Amino acid sequence: MSDDKQLRDVAEKLALILAQGGMQKTTARVMTSLLFSQRETTTAADLCEELQISSGAVSGAVKQLTQSGLLERVPAPGSRRDHYRFPDGAWAKLMSQQNQLLATMGEVAEQGLAAAGGPSTPAGRRLAEMEDFYAFILRELPPLIDRWRTDFTAQREAD
């Protein structure tokens, strides 16, 4: 099996896993195509051809992935077409963006805990656990991401 075929097969496997986890299938396929591509950039037309999907489907996926930071539009000298790539640092950026969602979940748990009459009620007990969980994650996640960035940068500089 050729390397390109193996890459496409693994990309499709990841796309299926992401779709099973809730990502739209086309968006998952576009993302994994960019992630596993041996090219630095690709065009929407290239994605349509490679994935055998419509330009409208690619456009929707590109919009969603751009908003989430998992795709970026880049200039391509001499080309009038938009070029896209999977950006460096995307995973850390994606996880960092989750902090607002985590904070909101913690706030809702805190409000629910107060409305439930405190942690001595059944709902209050569950909401207290939820509040504690999200507070813990919010304390631990940013330093963890920072440590990863430091380690990753050091590895790159050593190579």
Side-chain angles (χ1 to χ4, degrees), residues 96-125:
S96 296
Q97 291 171 350
Q98 297 300 312
N99 289 347
Q100 183 56 50
L101 174 63
L102 298 172
T104 301
M105 294 293 286
E107 290 167 10
V108 169
E110 182 181 4
Q111 293 166 4
L113 180 59
S120 60
T121 66
R125 184 184 75 251

Short mmCIF file of all heavy atoms in Angstrom, two decimals, residues 96-125:
data_model
loop_
_atom_site.label_atom_id
_atom_site.label_comp_id
_atom_site.label_asym_id
_atom_site.label_seq_id
_atom_site.Cartn_x
_atom_site.Cartn_y
_atom_site.Cartn_z
N SER A 96 -7.28 25.90 24.63
CA SER A 96 -7.34 27.18 25.33
C SER A 96 -8.70 27.85 25.14
O SER A 96 -9.22 28.49 26.05
CB SER A 96 -6.24 28.12 24.85
OG SER A 96 -4.97 27.59 25.17
N GLN A 97 -9.28 27.69 23.95
CA GLN A 97 -10.60 28.27 23.68
C GLN A 97 -11.69 27.61 24.51
O GLN A 97 -12.73 28.20 24.72
CB GLN A 97 -10.94 28.16 22.20
CG GLN A 97 -10.09 29.03 21.31
CD GLN A 97 -10.31 28.74 19.84
OE1 GLN A 97 -10.94 27.77 19.45
NE2 GLN A 97 -9.76 29.59 19.00
N GLN A 98 -11.44 26.41 24.99
CA GLN A 98 -12.42 25.71 25.80
C GLN A 98 -12.57 26.33 27.19
O GLN A 98 -13.53 26.05 27.89
CB GLN A 98 -12.05 24.23 25.93
CG GLN A 98 -12.04 23.47 24.63
CD GLN A 98 -13.39 23.49 23.94
OE1 GLN A 98 -14.41 23.22 24.55
NE2 GLN A 98 -13.39 23.84 22.67
N ASN A 99 -11.62 27.17 27.58
CA ASN A 99 -11.66 27.75 28.92
C ASN A 99 -12.94 28.52 29.17
O ASN A 99 -13.47 28.48 30.28
CB ASN A 99 -10.44 28.63 29.17
CG ASN A 99 -9.17 27.82 29.31
OD1 ASN A 99 -9.21 26.59 29.47
ND2 ASN A 99 -8.04 28.49 29.25
N GLN A 100 -13.44 29.24 28.18
CA GLN A 100 -14.68 30.00 28.38
C GLN A 100 -15.85 29.05 28.61
O GLN A 100 -16.68 29.29 29.48
CB GLN A 100 -14.96 30.92 27.19
CG GLN A 100 -16.20 31.79 27.39
CD GLN A 100 -16.14 32.63 28.66
OE1 GLN A 100 -15.17 33.31 28.93
NE2 GLN A 100 -17.18 32.58 29.47
N LEU A 101 -15.91 27.97 27.86
CA LEU A 101 -16.97 26.98 28.07
C LEU A 101 -16.86 26.36 29.46
O LEU A 101 -17.85 26.21 30.17
CB LEU A 101 -16.91 25.88 27.00
CG LEU A 101 -17.86 24.71 27.18
CD1 LEU A 101 -19.31 25.17 27.12
CD2 LEU A 101 -17.59 23.64 26.15
N LEU A 102 -15.65 26.04 29.86
CA LEU A 102 -15.44 25.46 31.19
C LEU A 102 -15.87 26.44 32.28
O LEU A 102 -16.51 26.05 33.27
CB LEU A 102 -13.97 25.08 31.38
CG LEU A 102 -13.42 24.01 30.43
CD1 LEU A 102 -11.92 23.88 30.60
CD2 LEU A 102 -14.11 22.69 30.64
N ALA A 103 -15.52 27.71 32.11
CA ALA A 103 -15.91 28.73 33.09
C ALA A 103 -17.43 28.86 33.16
O ALA A 103 -18.01 28.95 34.25
CB ALA A 103 -15.28 30.07 32.73
N THR A 104 -18.09 28.83 32.03
CA THR A 104 -19.55 28.92 31.99
C THR A 104 -20.18 27.72 32.68
O THR A 104 -21.15 27.87 33.44
CB THR A 104 -20.04 29.03 30.53
OG1 THR A 104 -19.45 30.20 29.95
CG2 THR A 104 -21.54 29.13 30.46
N MET A 105 -19.64 26.54 32.43
CA MET A 105 -20.17 25.34 33.09
C MET A 105 -20.03 25.47 34.61
O MET A 105 -20.95 25.13 35.36
CB MET A 105 -19.44 24.09 32.60
CG MET A 105 -19.67 23.78 31.13
SD MET A 105 -21.35 23.30 30.75
CE MET A 105 -21.36 21.65 31.43
N GLY A 106 -18.90 25.97 35.07
CA GLY A 106 -18.68 26.17 36.51
C GLY A 106 -19.64 27.19 37.09
O GLY A 106 -20.18 26.99 38.19
N GLU A 107 -19.87 28.28 36.36
CA GLU A 107 -20.80 29.32 36.81
C GLU A 107 -22.22 28.78 36.92
O GLU A 107 -22.93 29.07 37.89
CB GLU A 107 -20.76 30.52 35.86
CG GLU A 107 -19.47 31.31 35.93
CD GLU A 107 -19.31 32.28 34.77
OE1 GLU A 107 -20.28 32.49 34.00
OE2 GLU A 107 -18.20 32.83 34.63
N VAL A 108 -22.63 28.00 35.93
CA VAL A 108 -23.98 27.42 35.97
C VAL A 108 -24.11 26.45 37.14
O VAL A 108 -25.13 26.42 37.83
CB VAL A 108 -24.32 26.73 34.62
CG1 VAL A 108 -25.58 25.91 34.72
CG2 VAL A 108 -24.43 27.77 33.52
N ALA A 109 -23.07 25.68 37.39
CA ALA A 109 -23.09 24.76 38.52
C ALA A 109 -23.22 25.54 39.84
O ALA A 109 -23.99 25.15 40.73
CB ALA A 109 -21.84 23.90 38.53
N GLU A 110 -22.48 26.64 39.95
CA GLU A 110 -22.54 27.46 41.15
C GLU A 110 -23.94 28.04 41.35
O GLU A 110 -24.49 28.02 42.46
CB GLU A 110 -21.50 28.60 41.04
CG GLU A 110 -21.44 29.50 42.24
CD GLU A 110 -20.40 30.61 42.07
OE1 GLU A 110 -19.80 30.73 40.99
OE2 GLU A 110 -20.23 31.35 43.03
N GLN A 111 -24.53 28.54 40.27
CA GLN A 111 -25.89 29.09 40.34
C GLN A 111 -26.90 28.00 40.69
O GLN A 111 -27.81 28.20 41.50
CB GLN A 111 -26.27 29.76 39.02
CG GLN A 111 -25.46 31.00 38.72
CD GLN A 111 -25.61 31.45 37.26
OE1 GLN A 111 -26.38 30.89 36.49
NE2 GLN A 111 -24.85 32.48 36.89
N GLY A 112 -26.73 26.84 40.07
CA GLY A 112 -27.62 25.72 40.36
C GLY A 112 -27.49 25.25 41.80
O GLY A 112 -28.49 24.91 42.44
N LEU A 113 -26.28 25.23 42.30
CA LEU A 113 -26.04 24.83 43.68
C LEU A 113 -26.77 25.76 44.65
O LEU A 113 -27.41 25.30 45.60
CB LEU A 113 -24.53 24.82 43.96
CG LEU A 113 -24.06 24.41 45.35
CD1 LEU A 113 -24.54 23.00 45.69
CD2 LEU A 113 -22.54 24.49 45.43
N ALA A 114 -26.69 27.05 44.39
CA ALA A 114 -27.40 28.02 45.23
C ALA A 114 -28.91 27.82 45.13
O ALA A 114 -29.62 27.82 46.16
CB ALA A 114 -27.02 29.44 44.83
N ALA A 115 -29.41 27.61 43.91
CA ALA A 115 -30.85 27.42 43.72
C ALA A 115 -31.33 26.11 44.32
O ALA A 115 -32.49 26.00 44.75
CB ALA A 115 -31.18 27.47 42.22
N ALA A 116 -30.47 25.11 44.39
CA ALA A 116 -30.84 23.79 44.93
C ALA A 116 -30.83 23.77 46.45
O ALA A 116 -31.22 22.77 47.06
CB ALA A 116 -29.90 22.72 44.39
N GLY A 117 -30.38 24.86 47.07
CA GLY A 117 -30.37 24.90 48.52
C GLY A 117 -29.09 24.37 49.14
O GLY A 117 -29.08 23.98 50.31
N GLY A 118 -28.02 24.32 48.38
CA GLY A 118 -26.75 23.88 48.92
C GLY A 118 -26.45 22.43 48.65
O GLY A 118 -27.26 21.71 48.05
N PRO A 119 -25.29 21.96 49.10
CA PRO A 119 -24.82 20.61 48.76
C PRO A 119 -25.49 19.49 49.55
O PRO A 119 -25.20 18.33 49.30
CB PRO A 119 -23.32 20.67 49.08
CG PRO A 119 -23.19 21.74 50.10
CD PRO A 119 -24.27 22.74 49.81
N SER A 120 -26.40 19.82 50.46
CA SER A 120 -27.04 18.77 51.26
C SER A 120 -28.24 18.15 50.55
O SER A 120 -28.77 17.14 51.01
CB SER A 120 -27.46 19.32 52.63
OG SER A 120 -28.39 20.39 52.46
N THR A 121 -28.66 18.72 49.43
CA THR A 121 -29.79 18.16 48.67
C THR A 121 -29.24 17.25 47.57
O THR A 121 -28.06 17.36 47.19
CB THR A 121 -30.63 19.28 48.04
OG1 THR A 121 -29.85 19.95 47.04
CG2 THR A 121 -31.11 20.28 49.10
N PRO A 122 -30.06 16.35 47.02
CA PRO A 122 -29.56 15.49 45.93
C PRO A 122 -29.02 16.29 44.73
O PRO A 122 -27.92 16.02 44.25
CB PRO A 122 -30.78 14.65 45.55
CG PRO A 122 -31.59 14.59 46.81
CD PRO A 122 -31.40 15.94 47.45
N ALA A 123 -29.79 17.29 44.27
CA ALA A 123 -29.32 18.10 43.14
C ALA A 123 -28.09 18.89 43.55
O ALA A 123 -27.13 19.02 42.78
CB ALA A 123 -30.43 19.03 42.65
N GLY A 124 -28.10 19.43 44.77
CA GLY A 124 -26.98 20.21 45.27
C GLY A 124 -25.70 19.39 45.34
O GLY A 124 -24.62 19.89 45.02
N ARG A 125 -25.82 18.14 45.75
CA ARG A 125 -24.64 17.26 45.82
C ARG A 125 -24.02 17.08 44.43
O ARG A 125 -22.81 17.20 44.25
CB ARG A 125 -25.05 15.90 46.41
CG ARG A 125 -23.88 14.95 46.62
CD ARG A 125 -24.32 13.58 47.11
NE ARG A 125 -24.92 12.82 46.01
CZ ARG A 125 -26.21 12.53 45.89
NH1 ARG A 125 -27.09 12.90 46.79
NH2 ARG A 125 -26.66 11.85 44.85
#
